[in-house]
Amino acid sequence: YDMYTALSGERAVGIVDGCAEKDACAEWKLDAKFIRERPFPLRLCKQAFEQNLQEAEASEEKDKKHILNSIIGARGPALDAQPPAEHETYRQLNSSLHARIAVASWRIALESGEDLEPFRQALIGNNLPQLELSFDNCAAIRDSHVVDLSRGISASMRSVHLDFSFCALTSISLMSLADGLAQARSLQRLCLCFIKCTQLTDEGMIRLGETFRGLTNLREVDLNLYCCKRITDAGASAVLSNLPRKITRIAFDLSFNSHITEAAVRQLEIAGYTDLEELHLKLQYCKAALLDASLACIAGAATKSLRCLALDLQSAQNFSIDGLLAFAKALPQRMRGLRELSLNLAGCEAVTDYFVAALAGELPGKLQVLDLGLHLCTAVTDTGVRALTRSLPRQLERLSLDLQQINGLTTAPFESLASSLPQPLRSLSLQMDYCECVDEVRDIFSRCASQDREITILGSAGQAQTADPQTRPTSPADSPEDADAAEG
């Protein structure tokens, strides 16, 4: 559905089902949706709760008869009969309409200080197929509001996406969500985002894990617990150990959680997922989890069905060269069908030319996307970069290399890469802040760009910029100072 109205000055504003095309193009699509829809008048939403479709008007009376009769399944001559004043199908559609409007205007009403009772009532007994809401940076939201919202999660929902980033919530919210999700037996996709919700504890995670036991249709899970400092192995393990074995996608961000250790990562292997196709794991500055044993567990969790592996292991100071090499060897052995590999080893002292060359030699032949983060891997030189560029899989379509603050690189490996780019390559991105040769490299690749091939060289020879740790992370690359704050 779409519901539009005109504001003063003839400006149009609308509430739409899901995300509009403009929203979907944004990095944080639910945030973009909220900002776009926020000016919609709440009085119209509340009026809509009182509307029933069987009471609507049509330009022709016979059209109204046909429409209402068609809704209840009438065909042929029955379309001309007088439609019933009430019908179960009418009730279901009215309930769906009211619930959709309640969801779309919930945060607007909350931040406006409106009485939320009409919105709560509109969600009761709904038959919505999905629930998508962002409360990112919402200062007004409290646990009690999440409890109310959780009661609106229904058995019909197949997808739930809720963002509570930077909200002052406790595990009461997480437990109420777990109880609500237990009703959604048909749930297939779940995304919960709690960036820097620092009051969350294992208690809520354990309740969520218990809920997962009954969600046998669940296939995709995305949990963002970035800088949720009170979550420990107990909470993370409760979630990973209770996901359905036939889960196909797991995305778990535990970055800056100093209580996470290798024990939590081990659950990936112990759980025995049989159909896993995508694994996205972020462990930035989780020092006790960034061990050789964790790499072995991740490799052990891989299945023949795995197509995408994304690991953010920034600041891994405890990896050894042996552990890294063992992981590289597991790529063709256990992940032969891999199509996408993203590996962020920024700041890892064990990363050397020898490892980079070994990794290049083990890349699966069918790999189409490679994203390798070597930011501040100061032991890497031209030798390692050249070995990598000479061994790129011939089916590669996208290549991204983060080489920021690697001193001493020259143009030699990049000249080699420019002369031997894989034919299918459509996108090449090099991040080279604080690399002295960045301007020369930009000149080299200016000759390789074409209408069908996008080439981006980012950075300058000056000092690299670091992310503000107080802002929402657009990527995992926050500063070490943020890690210290998280551990403090």
Side-chain angles (χ1 to χ4, degrees):
Y1 73 91
D2 296 338
M3 186 168 67
Y4 276 83
T5 189
L7 304 178
S8 58
E10 299 184 351
R11 175 191 171 195
V13 59
I15 289 177
V16 303
D17 190 16
C19 290
E21 183 177 354
K22 181 180 180 180
D23 307 331
C25 294
E27 184 170 7
W28 304 99
K29 62 178 185 178
L30 291 185
D31 295 350
K33 172 182 170 68
F34 167 69
I35 292 171
R36 179 182 54 76
E37 295 180 344
R38 182 164 47 189
F40 195 91
L42 274 176
R43 59 179 177 79
L44 295 183
C45 295
K46 291 190 287 187
Q47 289 175 12
F49 295 152
E50 305 300 325
Q51 303 299 314
N52 293 311
L53 63 91
Q54 66 269 33
E55 299 167 359
E57 298 296 331
S59 56
E60 296 286 342
E61 182 62 25
K62 65 178 182 180
D63 290 340
K64 179 176 179 179
K65 286 183 179 181
H66 289 174
I67 292 170
L68 293 179
N69 283 324
S70 179
I71 286 173
I72 64 176
R75 297 293 182 268
L79 290 173
D80 293 318
Q82 184 66 28
E86 298 291 340
H87 194 277
E88 176 59 20
T89 306
Y90 297 163
R91 189 200 66 78
Q92 292 176 2
L93 288 177
N94 287 328
S95 173
S96 179
L97 175 61
H98 298 162
R100 289 176 187 271
I101 294 172
V103 170
S105 54
W106 191 285
R107 179 173 176 177
I108 303 173
L110 174 63
E111 294 191 338
S112 300
E114 290 281 338
D115 178 12
L116 292 178
E117 185 58 27
F119 300 84
R120 286 193 288 262
Q121 291 298 321
L123 272 185
I124 293 176
N126 73 80
N127 56 357
L128 298 180
Q130 66 181 22
L131 176 62
E132 293 188 347
L133 266 174
S134 173
F135 294 93
D136 180 20
N137 269 305
C138 179
I141 195 168
R142 296 293 182 267
D143 287 329
S144 59
H145 301 129
V146 181
V147 171
D148 290 335
L149 184 64
S150 299
R151 291 170 180 159
I153 298 176
S154 64
S156 62
M157 291 182 179
R158 296 186 295 276
S159 175
V160 173
H161 184 171
L162 299 172
D163 188 345
F164 300 104
S165 297
F166 302 95
C167 294
L169 301 177
T170 73
S171 278
I172 293 174
S173 291
L174 195 49
M175 288 188 289
S176 66
L177 285 170
D179 293 343
L181 290 167
Q183 311 305 313
R185 296 291 181 171
S186 299
L187 192 67
Q188 298 174 2
R189 293 176 296 277
L190 173 65
C191 179
L192 298 176
C193 192
F194 291 99
I195 293 174
K196 291 193 176 181
C197 292
T198 56
Q199 300 305 309
L200 295 187
T201 65
D202 289 337
E203 186 178 12
M205 293 289 287
I206 292 171
R207 181 77 67 85
L208 186 62
E210 292 170 350
T211 294
F212 284 155
R213 294 177 190 170
L215 300 180
T216 57
N217 293 308
L218 192 61
R219 293 295 177 267
E220 300 179 15
V221 170
D222 188 330
L223 295 178
N224 194 329
L225 300 172
Y226 178 99
C227 211
C228 295
K229 299 181 289 184
R230 298 189 181 190
I231 303 297
T232 73
D233 286 341
S237 298
V239 166
L240 291 172
S241 63
N242 285 302
L243 290 173
R245 293 187 67 217
K246 291 187 175 295
I247 196 86
T248 60
R249 183 181 191 276
I250 298 174
F252 209 179
D253 190 343
L254 292 165
S255 298
F256 294 98
N257 292 353
S258 59
H259 299 296
I260 299 298
T261 75
E262 175 267 336
V265 182
R266 192 186 310 136
Q267 293 300 321
L268 287 169
E269 183 176 17
I270 295 174
Y273 309 123
T274 58
D275 299 343
L276 193 61
E277 297 177 3
E278 294 185 40
L279 175 60
H280 304 254
L281 184 62
K282 297 183 179 182
L283 296 170
Q284 286 186 74
Y285 294 96
C286 297
K287 296 179 181 179
L290 296 174
L291 307 174
D292 289 348
S294 297
L295 284 175
C297 290
I298 294 170
T303 65
K304 293 180 180 179
S305 59
L306 194 67
R307 294 294 179 267
C308 175
L309 178 63
L311 302 175
D312 190 337
L313 309 175
Q314 181 175 337
S315 82
Q317 300 299 323
N318 295 320
F319 287 160
S320 71
I321 185 62
D322 291 337
L324 290 170
L325 292 174
F327 176 78
K329 290 179 180 178
L331 290 174
Q333 295 173 1
R334 297 190 59 87
M335 295 172 260
R336 189 172 301 172
L338 205 63
R339 298 294 189 273
E340 299 183 26
L341 174 62
S342 176
L343 184 60
N344 183 12
L345 294 168
C348 178
E349 295 179 357
V351 173
T352 63
D353 288 337
Y354 185 65
F355 166 70
V356 174
L359 176 67
E362 302 289 1
L363 292 174
K366 296 182 179 180
L367 198 68
Q368 297 173 345
V369 178
L370 176 61
D371 185 343
L372 185 59
L374 301 177
H375 183 187
L376 273 175
C377 293
T378 54
V380 175
T381 69
D382 283 352
T383 301
V385 177
R386 184 183 296 108
L388 174 65
T389 58
R390 288 178 175 176
S391 300
L392 294 175
R394 302 319 298 171
Q395 297 185 27
L396 201 65
E397 298 177 4
R398 298 205 317 265
L399 173 63
S400 178
L401 300 177
D402 186 347
L403 305 172
Q404 295 180 78
Q405 294 181 280
I406 299 181
N407 299 319
L409 290 179
T410 72
T411 60
F414 303 102
E415 291 172 345
S416 174
L417 174 61
S419 64
S420 59
L421 290 173
Q423 192 277 331
L425 195 72
R426 293 294 172 263
S427 175
L428 170 64
S429 175
L430 301 177
Q431 297 186 56
M432 299 186 64
D433 256 324
Y434 212 45
C435 294
E436 295 177 356
C437 64
V438 60
D439 293 330
E440 290 87 347
V441 170
R442 191 175 284 114
D443 290 339
I444 291 170
F445 284 102
S446 64
R447 301 186 294 271
C448 301
S450 68
Q451 184 176 0
D452 298 326
R453 177 177 287 163
E454 180 182 3
I455 296 180
T456 305
I457 314 296
L458 301 174
S460 63
Q463 189 168 357
Q465 300 295 311
T466 56
D468 180 356
Q470 299 305 314
T471 62
R472 178 174 185 147
T474 56
S475 75
D478 282 291
S479 66
E481 288 76 15
D482 200 8
D484 296 336
E487 292 179 355

